[in-house]
């Protein structure tokens, strides 16, 4: 039996879950500032570095929806804790290894742990949130990745000169231990905060329903094009600063941390614009266009170094309006309320396919023709994001007519 809707939001537990998202996102933010040091110590070339940036997303790209459906069956709290534990073990193993191949394998495990957490938390949040606060809470959740990755990138810039990249890996392991302990000692996912267990459902039917949802597919595609373009620029920003602009590695790491942290801004703005009645299509297409223009400003040798870095800040700050708008679309396009988690998995799967493919392709293009060639990927990808946004708009129009 379904439990009644809440009349008040449990903000203490909501903030705990958002902090958990920030913690798991540290697995993403630790890499860009550390990449030059890792390449130098382990002898990783630029193409391999592109895959290293993306390997956390490999298994996520393959099994995002399946992991989300697993959460519906084994419990969202249990899967979130398991994901945090996987992150702890993989980070610790990565800090101890002297092998590039082992470090790559650890990144795959980190990716699975990351996915397990981020597909579990939205359903847990909805159980803690009163209906009138859902839009606000989901907008706050949409900032977990830029916020957590940005804070970890900033911490990495501070830690790297003294403890090296291995110390950064140990730091993320410690952060995840704290998050796991906090969840285990809390009421998250327990009692009335647990998602109600309904009748047993067919896994095949759930997969078919989510896969047949045009809105869910459009959400995944749009997020994938956005994410691949964002990481293609931000993931290699330290390398570009050091190799092309002649900037000190410590300064480059700190600048990249600021660029990542600025990504929080667009998510919050998108939530406010949606609340004011802006169409999702307008937000998505305008953001993709601004991203394409600012990426050109970063990759082309037309602007002085300082202005190129300012353009990178604008690129990142504006771009997260896309995930802000898409997270808010998930409850709208879930085929059934019970499949909100699976639809989130579709979003994450699309995101991680993009994150997996974008950096290696850009690395190969840059190696072949220099940094301006990166635009041969980012410009078409952002055009694809705009087309996916149009498909999502059409799906919403159909839902409106049925309603």
């Amino acid at each position: 039996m379904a439990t009644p809707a809440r009349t008040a939001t449990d903000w203490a537990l909501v903030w705990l879950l958002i902090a958990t998202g920030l913690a798991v996102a540290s697995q993403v933010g630790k890499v860009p500032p550390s990449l030059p040091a890792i390449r130098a110590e382990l002898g990783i070339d630029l193409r391999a570095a592109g895959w290293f940036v993306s390997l956390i997303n490999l298994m996520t790209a393959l099994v995002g929806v399946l992991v989300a459906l697993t959460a519906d069956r084994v419990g969202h709290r249990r899967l979130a804790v398991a994901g945090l534990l996987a992150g702890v073990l993989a980070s610790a193993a990565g800090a101890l290894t002297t092998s590039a191949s082992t470090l790559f394998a650890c990144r795959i495990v980190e990716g699975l742990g990351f996915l397990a957490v981020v597909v579990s938390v939205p359903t847990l949040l909805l159980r803690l949130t009163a209906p009138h606060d859902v839009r606000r809470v989901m907008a706050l959740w949409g900032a977990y990745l830029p916020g957590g990755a940005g804070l970890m990138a900033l911490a990495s810039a501070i830690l790297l000169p003294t403890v090296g990249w291995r110390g950064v890996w140990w730091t993320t392991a410690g952060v995840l231990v704290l998050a796991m302990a906090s969840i285990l000692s809390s009421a998250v996912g327990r009692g009335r905060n647990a998602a109600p267990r309904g009748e047993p459902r067919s896994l095949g039917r759930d997969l078919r329903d989510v896969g047949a949802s045009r809105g869910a597919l459009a959400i995944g595609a749009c997020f994938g094009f956005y994410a691949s373009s964002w990481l293609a620029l931000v993931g290699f920003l330290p390398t570009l600063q050091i190799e092309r602009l002649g900037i000190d590695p410590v300064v480059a790491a700190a600048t990249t941390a600021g660029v990542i942290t600025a990504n929080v801004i667009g998510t919050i703005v998108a939530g406010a614009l949606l609340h004011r009645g802006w169409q999702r299509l307008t937000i998505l297409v305008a953001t993709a266009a601004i991203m394409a223009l600012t990426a050109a400003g970063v990759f082309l040798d037309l602007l002085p170094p300082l202005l190129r870095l300012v353009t990178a800040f604008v690129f990142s700050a504006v771009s997260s309006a896309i995930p802000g708008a898409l997270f808010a679309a998930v409850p709208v396009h879930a085929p059934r309320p019970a499949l909100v988690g699976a639809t989130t998995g579709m979003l994450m799967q699309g995101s991680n396919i993009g994150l997996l493919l974008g950096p290696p392709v850009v690395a190969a293009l840059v190696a072949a023709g220099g940094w301006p060639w990166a635009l041969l990927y980012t410009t078409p990808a952002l055009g694809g994001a705009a087309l996916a946004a149009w498909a999502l708009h059409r799906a919403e129009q159909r839902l409106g007519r049925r309603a």
Side-chain angles (χ1 to χ4, degrees):
M1 177 184 297
T3 56
R6 283 182 172 271
T7 57
T9 298
D10 189 332
W11 283 106
L13 294 182
V14 165
W15 286 116
L16 172 59
L17 286 173
I18 292 172
T20 300
L22 296 174
V24 78
S26 68
Q27 301 283 64
V28 178
K30 68 184 181 182
V31 172
S34 305
L35 192 56
I38 293 172
R39 288 182 61 199
E41 181 177 335
L42 301 183
I44 299 174
D45 64 21
L46 187 59
R47 287 186 176 87
W51 283 107
F52 184 70
V53 170
S54 297
L55 268 177
I56 195 171
N57 314 110
L58 174 60
M59 296 307 295
T60 310
L62 297 175
V63 296
V65 176
L66 284 174
V67 172
L69 290 172
T70 299
D72 292 336
R73 286 158 173 77
V74 306
H76 296 82
R77 174 189 171 94
R78 290 177 182 172
L79 191 63
V81 171
L84 291 168
L85 179 59
V88 171
L89 296 176
S91 291
L96 293 170
T97 188
T98 57
S99 164
S101 59
T102 301
L103 189 62
F104 277 40
C106 290
R107 288 299 286 170
I108 294 175
V109 177
E110 288 176 2
L112 284 171
F114 173 84
L115 175 64
V117 175
V118 300
V119 300
S120 301
V121 168
T123 300
L124 293 171
L125 282 172
L126 290 175
R127 297 298 302 166
L128 299 168
T129 306
H132 59 273
D133 284 330
V134 167
R135 185 188 297 270
R136 182 182 177 190
V137 167
M138 293 308 290
L140 288 170
W141 170 246
Y144 80 92
L145 182 55
L151 289 172
M152 191 62 229
L154 182 59
S156 299
I158 297 171
L159 292 170
L160 280 168
T162 55
V163 300
W165 69 268
R166 296 180 188 278
V168 172
W169 258 239
W170 282 117
T171 300
T172 58
V175 168
L176 294 176
V177 167
L178 290 176
M180 183 171 61
S182 298
I183 294 293
L184 287 172
S185 63
S186 76
V188 167
R190 289 179 173 169
R192 68 172 301 195
N193 299 329
R197 292 186 178 273
E199 295 297 322
R201 307 194 311 266
S202 164
L203 178 62
R205 181 195 171 197
D206 287 352
L207 282 172
R208 286 194 302 271
D209 288 348
V210 174
S213 169
R214 295 181 180 180
L217 291 172
I219 288 171
C222 190
F223 209 113
F225 284 124
Y226 148 79
S228 68
S229 301
W230 183 83
L231 190 59
L233 188 149
V234 175
F236 290 110
L237 188 59
T239 304
L240 183 149
Q241 292 180 77
I242 295 168
E243 295 184 357
R244 187 67 179 173
L245 305 182
I247 294 175
D248 180 80
V250 175
V251 176
T255 301
T256 302
V259 169
I260 295 172
T261 306
N263 196 235
V264 174
I265 297 171
T267 302
I268 298 171
V269 171
L273 293 177
L274 288 169
H275 184 71
R276 292 174 178 269
W278 280 52
Q279 283 197 348
R280 201 181 320 275
L281 176 64
T282 302
I283 296 172
L284 294 172
V285 172
T287 302
I290 294 171
M291 288 179 69
L293 290 172
T294 50
V298 173
F299 287 126
L300 294 176
D301 294 325
L302 299 177
L303 300 175
L306 179 59
L307 195 52
R308 287 174 79 169
L309 295 180
V310 170
T311 304
F313 272 93
V314 175
F315 171 91
S316 186
V318 172
S319 65
S320 63
I322 290 180
L326 293 178
F327 270 111
V330 167
V332 176
H333 291 276
R336 301 188 300 279
L339 293 181
V340 168
T343 306
T344 303
M346 179 69 77
L347 180 153
M348 295 305 302
Q349 190 155 345
S351 169
N352 284 280
I353 289 172
L355 291 171
L356 174 67
L357 296 178
V361 172
V362 169
L365 288 169
V366 171
W371 290 104
W373 278 40
L375 296 176
L376 296 177
Y377 178 82
T378 58
T379 303
L382 291 166
L387 288 174
W390 177 80
L392 179 62
H393 179 68
R394 292 293 301 274
E396 291 189 2
Q397 287 180 321
R398 282 190 290 270
L399 289 175
R401 286 195 293 269
R402 291 175 187 172

